[in-house]
Amino acid sequence: GTARSRTQEGEGAGGADGGPPPASKFGKFGKNPGVKTDFLPDRDREIEDTRAAILLKAEYKDAIKTKLEMTFVLHLMYWKPRGLMMQDVKKVKHSMTVKYGDTIGDLLQRFRDAHNKTYTELKNISGEQCLFCKEGLIIPHHFTWFEIMQRGCTIFGKNVFADLDQTPREWVEDGEEVEGEDGEERGEREKERKKKEMA
């Protein structure tokens, strides 16, 4: 009778095991695919965005770590004091291989250790007492080469740190030997000079 038909209807409305029907993700009435909902909160989308951000951050850290271990040849001039009162200076060209992750202080200490016998004025001082200047700017010792190249410093419309890892144009044009360079670097310069003469 009536009781039996209600029981059958209840069984038909439930799941295969007689339990409640599966709940819909988007509620009773479903989701209209024609409506733009990008501006609404979406937990799944936020989770995917978070995962993508974490992955990009890890890739960026790896790229920075690799960059800091890379080397380049830094061309510089040592201002050697002259005269009884050291009122004059002689500019001497040098080139050193440094890492992008090295600090200015690391370079000055290395230069002092390598040349304190050549330049007697360096014997009684440390790298901390030396200065590195670029276009009249005194660069603090704690900065790395990567940091100052990334940050840059614009003077009269020119980024004075953009060419630190390049050979200065005037050094290439005058063709002079760079004092302090090793044999491999000197050989490369000689090859470049011969190519220019043949051209």
Side-chain angles (χ1 to χ4, degrees):
T2 305
R4 183 179 181 183
S5 62
R6 288 181 178 177
T7 304
Q8 292 175 347
E9 290 176 0
E11 292 178 354
D17 56 353
S24 173
K25 178 181 178 182
F26 303 108
K28 183 178 179 181
F29 299 102
K31 184 177 179 181
N32 185 354
V35 178
K36 293 184 179 180
T37 57
D38 295 342
F39 62 93
L40 295 175
D42 188 334
R43 183 173 179 81
D44 292 339
R45 186 175 67 239
E46 291 175 358
I47 292 175
E48 290 298 325
D49 291 344
T50 302
R51 288 176 179 173
I54 293 174
L55 182 61
L56 287 174
K57 188 175 182 179
E59 292 177 353
Y60 177 76
K61 286 185 177 181
D62 291 341
I64 294 297
K65 186 177 181 180
T66 302
K67 181 68 174 179
L68 295 180
E69 291 298 321
M70 295 177 63
T71 61
F72 68 96
V73 178
L74 177 70
H75 300 271
L76 58 106
M77 285 190 178
Y78 172 67
W79 287 29
K80 177 178 173 57
R82 297 190 300 182
L84 295 177
M85 303 297 295
M86 296 188 177
Q87 70 276 14
D88 192 15
V89 294
K90 176 184 178 182
K91 298 179 181 179
V92 185
K93 294 179 179 180
H94 283 275
S95 63
M96 297 183 65
T97 300
V98 297
K99 292 182 179 180
Y100 284 94
D102 291 346
T103 63
I104 307 297
D106 294 336
L107 166 77
L108 296 176
Q109 187 61 48
R110 281 180 52 204
F111 185 89
R112 183 265 170 198
D113 293 342
H115 299 285
N116 59 49
K117 294 182 179 180
T118 305
Y119 307 121
T120 56
E121 61 274 8
L122 296 177
K123 287 185 178 181
N124 299 321
I125 64 174
S126 65
E128 295 179 353
Q129 297 171 286
C130 301
L131 297 176
F132 182 83
C133 302
K134 174 70 172 173
E135 302 291 342
L137 299 174
I138 299 176
I139 315 302
H141 288 201
H142 66 274
F143 281 111
T144 65
W145 300 106
F146 179 78
E147 288 174 339
I148 62 177
M149 290 183 195
Q150 287 295 308
R151 295 183 181 184
C153 181
T154 303
I155 299 179
F156 299 114
K158 176 186 176 183
N159 184 358
V160 297
F161 298 141
D163 59 349
L164 277 175
D165 53 355
Q166 302 174 12
T167 304
R169 182 181 301 174
E170 58 271 17
W171 289 30
V172 177
E173 291 176 351
D174 60 24
E176 293 182 7
E177 192 81 11
V178 179
E179 185 175 336
E181 68 183 357
D182 58 30
E184 182 179 355
E185 293 171 352
R186 187 178 299 111
E188 291 297 327
R189 286 172 60 85
E190 289 294 333
K191 290 180 181 179
E192 293 177 3
R193 186 179 303 176
K194 289 180 179 180
K195 288 181 181 179
K196 290 181 180 179
E197 292 176 354
M198 293 178 65

